[in-house]
Amino acid sequence: MPDRAIVYLSDAGGLEAATLKIAGRPVLFRVLMTLARAGIRRVGLPGALREGKSELTPLGNARVASAIVWLDHLSPDERAAWTQSPALLIPVNVLLDPPSLKRLLNAPSGADGTGLEESKGTPFPVLLAPPDLLVSTWDRLVAGLPLGEELEIHLRQHRMTLVPGSGLMIAVTDATSQRQAEAALYRSLGTDADSRVDLLINRRCSRLLTRFLVNLPVTPNQVSVASLFLGLGSAWGFWWATPTSALLGLILYMLSVVADHSDGEIARLTFQESAFGEWLDFSVDTLIHALLVLGMGFTARATGGSFAIAAGATAAFGVLMSASFARLLSREVNFEEGLGRVLRGMGNRDLFYLILVAFIGCLWIAPRFLPFLVGVLAVGSQAYWLTCLVHRGMAARWSWFA
């Protein structure tokens, strides 16, 4: 798969369009971030992007900046290396999703190159250019001269293989397209793990929070720490709880979830994902849920005695084990079929919301049912990780027979 790309100016307004901000970052930053996520390791930029707009020079991210190669600084030998094999050509002002670029880069190349189908017929073609096209346009690529129309004609008139993308391709040229691109980018921030409550409430709130925070000097890990403190406040509301404190705990829990969503959104928008951030997010989420169920056990002690505390501790153990197994299996299990779909349903956050609401209802109306509810939670929390054990055992058995 080609691992080099060249960012070109499609028209005379391309330089100005590159400075328009999408979710707090210039369009050029979004282009470079998409290239990195698609597997591109070296990105050639015309000197016009360095000299024409000073705000584009630092780009604010070491991971992005480390991939940049200024085309006008290449030696003759380096230039020859860039033009002797296919390279991706992408406009400076087009918002794309990484899966679309991966499809293009992995597709079999046609005799005259490969192009993204959605870009055909537009002045912003995205194509995997063969060496002869790179050679013929090299001087203009280096100089940052407009090339959109010429490349679009090449895409239409030559035998290029057209590859359909994932659907997201927006050329940012003015304030209207800027707003459209930003809205599309925010809509793409959800994950497959989002529950119905997440989609209806939490994601909508987290996007509002992210829109505000992404323009501030705030890191994703700082938002994770804020989520932790909100979660600790939520857990406090369920320890020796009254109906009022438990209701406040539920509100704080939802705010913690909103912040938990926002830290991931900020990380993806600003290209600040890290192994530590992933670990911190997982640890905060797991700790909050374990403390919540343990707190329920202590609250239920008033009517259930030591059984309620034991049930709460068992439920907390189940939460810790289930979270660990979910993290372990996240890259091994197909959650769309068979036992994987069962696991996905069992890990749905909506069930936990239902338990919290039921706990508050029992606390308010029928406290004598609290130990029973915590007992059900203790049993149910073991189900996920035990089912994971069964899944791994089945997978091992089938691989042994194979």
Side-chain angles (χ1 to χ4, degrees), residues 237-304:
F238 280 89
W239 282 67
W240 307 110
T242 65
T244 301
S245 71
L247 180 60
L248 176 61
L250 176 61
I251 294 172
L252 288 174
Y253 173 71
M254 294 193 70
L255 291 175
S256 174
V257 173
V258 168
D260 178 51
H261 286 339
S262 184
D263 65 7
E265 292 170 356
I266 293 173
R268 292 191 290 277
L269 285 172
T270 59
F271 205 32
Q272 295 186 74
E273 301 101 320
S274 67
F276 175 77
E278 184 180 357
W279 173 86
L280 179 63
D281 184 72
F282 163 79
S283 300
V284 167
D285 192 51
T286 303
L287 177 63
I288 290 171
H289 286 90
L291 289 177
L292 278 168
V293 298
L294 188 59
M296 292 184 207
F298 274 86
T299 296
R301 182 186 181 188
T303 55

Side-chain angles (χ1 to χ4, degrees), residues 196-214:
R196 187 173 296 274
V197 174
D198 286 328
L199 294 174
L200 293 177
I201 301 175
N202 295 331
R203 277 295 173 192
R204 297 185 180 187
C205 294
S206 69
R207 285 168 184 156
L208 292 175
L209 178 61
T210 300
R211 283 177 181 270
F212 173 73
L213 294 179
V214 78

Side-chain angles (χ1 to χ4, degrees), residues 51-389:
E51 300 166 358
K53 296 289 180 179
S54 60
E55 61 265 37
L56 294 178
T57 302
L59 297 173
N61 186 285
R63 293 173 64 189
V64 168
S66 64
I68 292 175
V69 175
W70 295 105
L71 297 178
D72 56 345
H73 288 172
L74 293 178
S75 67
D77 290 341
E78 290 171 329
R79 168 184 169 172
W82 273 76
T83 56
Q84 65 184 3
S85 61
L88 181 71
L89 296 183
I90 184 169
V92 71
N93 57 326
V94 167
L95 184 69
L96 280 172
D97 57 308
S100 292
L101 282 185
K102 288 181 179 179
R103 289 185 186 182
L104 178 62
L105 294 171
N106 289 318
S109 181
D112 294 310
T114 309
L116 190 66
E117 186 172 350
E118 286 82 353
S119 70
K120 183 180 179 180
T122 75
F124 312 98
V126 180
L127 61 154
L128 189 60
D132 59 340
L133 180 59
L134 293 174
V135 171
S136 65
T137 59
W138 183 261
D139 290 339
R140 284 168 290 166
L141 288 170
V142 173
L145 298 177
L147 279 171
E149 290 187 4
E150 179 179 341
L151 294 177
E152 200 281 325
I153 292 173
H154 183 93
L155 184 62
R156 279 189 291 111
Q157 295 184 351
H158 291 73
R159 294 177 298 168
M160 299 194 75
T161 301
L162 294 179
V163 179
S166 302
L168 177 60
M169 177 181 166
I170 301 177
V172 181
T173 58
D174 53 24
T176 299
S177 58
Q178 179 187 18
R179 289 191 297 269
Q180 293 173 345
E182 186 166 89
L185 184 61
Y186 278 112
R187 284 196 301 269
S188 70
L189 290 176
T191 68
D192 293 338
D194 285 348
S195 68
R196 187 173 296 274
V197 174
D198 286 328
L199 294 174
L200 293 177
I201 301 175
N202 295 331
R203 277 295 173 192
R204 297 185 180 187
C205 294
S206 69
R207 285 168 184 156
L208 292 175
L209 178 61
T210 300
R211 283 177 181 270
F212 173 73
L213 294 179
V214 78
N215 293 297
L216 300 177
V218 175
T219 68
N221 292 343
Q222 290 170 341
V223 181
S224 295
V225 172
S227 174
L228 171 62
F229 282 111
L230 288 168
L232 292 176
S234 171
W236 172 84
F238 280 89
W239 282 67
W240 307 110
T242 65
T244 301
S245 71
L247 180 60
L248 176 61
L250 176 61
I251 294 172
L252 288 174
Y253 173 71
M254 294 193 70
L255 291 175
S256 174
V257 173
V258 168
D260 178 51
H261 286 339
S262 184
D263 65 7
E265 292 170 356
I266 293 173
R268 292 191 290 277
L269 285 172
T270 59
F271 205 32
Q272 295 186 74
E273 301 101 320
S274 67
F276 175 77
E278 184 180 357
W279 173 86
L280 179 63
D281 184 72
F282 163 79
S283 300
V284 167
D285 192 51
T286 303
L287 177 63
I288 290 171
H289 286 90
L291 289 177
L292 278 168
V293 298
L294 188 59
M296 292 184 207
F298 274 86
T299 296
R301 182 186 181 188
T303 55
S306 58
F307 164 79
I309 295 180
T314 302
F317 172 78
V319 167
L320 295 173
M321 292 294 291
S322 295
S324 299
F325 272 87
R327 184 176 174 85
L328 179 67
L329 293 182
S330 61
R331 295 178 177 84
E332 300 178 14
V333 176
N334 180 358
F335 288 97
E336 300 299 327
E337 59 183 32
L339 194 54
R341 179 175 292 182
V342 175
L343 288 171
R344 180 175 182 176
M346 294 170 63
N348 192 308
R349 198 193 296 264
D350 287 353
L351 294 176
F352 195 69
Y353 282 120
L354 183 61
I355 290 170
L356 294 179
V357 171
F359 187 87
I360 295 172
C362 289
L363 189 62
W364 181 33
I365 300 173
R368 66 182 182 276
F369 288 113
L370 290 177
F372 172 77
L373 182 61
V374 176
V376 171
L377 184 58
V379 173
S381 64
Q382 317 304 317
Y384 186 94
W385 71 270
L386 290 174
T387 305
C388 288
L389 278 180

